[in-house]
Amino acid sequence: MQPCPCGLPATYPACCGRYHAGAAAPTAEALMRSRFSAFAVGDAAYLRETWDPATRPRRVDVDPATRWTHLEVLDRTGGGLLESTGTVRFRAHHDGGVVAEDSRFRRAGGRWLYVGPA
């Protein structure tokens, strides 16, 4: 089996696949990694579910022609098991370039949500 798209050595089902199936990501970084994997596997519903309703766009689409190749997590602040906010700085590589962002996350109802750029 292939490693998870997020770059961790576990397989997709044992790593981000479990979050896509409904388990709550335990940290902001885990959520960010699972969102990268959602782009890689084309799971727009997961991206919508994990986007803060206050900042979520009306439509969340994934371009099936884009091939996401790898993720670099550069830094993180907060976002731990006992915290309610956090940021993750990353570079997401795809066949057309790189998306770099400092992302903000918050925990609501026991689940981490992507808020937007920091």
Side-chain angles (χ1 to χ4, degrees), residues 6 10-11 30 50 52 69 71 86 91 93 97 116:
C6 79
T11 62
T50 58
D52 189 328
T69 58
L71 175 68
R91 283 193 290 248
H93 299 259

Side-chain angles (χ1 to χ4, degrees), residues 68-86:
W68 294 90
T69 58
H70 69 282
L71 175 68
E72 294 176 85
V73 175
L74 305 172
D75 195 18
R76 64 191 153 288
T77 59
L81 296 172
L82 303 176
E83 296 170 291
S84 60
T85 63

Side-chain angles (χ1 to χ4, degrees), residues 25-90:
T27 65
E29 180 181 339
L31 180 67
M32 190 277 309
R33 286 181 176 279
S34 70
R35 286 177 57 82
F36 173 85
S37 291
F39 277 104
V41 300
D43 191 343
Y46 181 78
L47 294 168
R48 182 168 173 70
E49 289 170 17
T50 58
W51 204 317
D52 189 328
T55 59
R56 180 176 54 214
R58 287 185 183 166
R59 288 182 52 122
V60 178
D61 295 317
V62 177
D63 182 355
T66 301
R67 189 166 96 33
W68 294 90
T69 58
H70 69 282
L71 175 68
E72 294 176 85
V73 175
L74 305 172
D75 195 18
R76 64 191 153 288
T77 59
L81 296 172
L82 303 176
E83 296 170 291
S84 60
T85 63
T87 62
V88 179
R89 184 165 43 110
F90 68 90

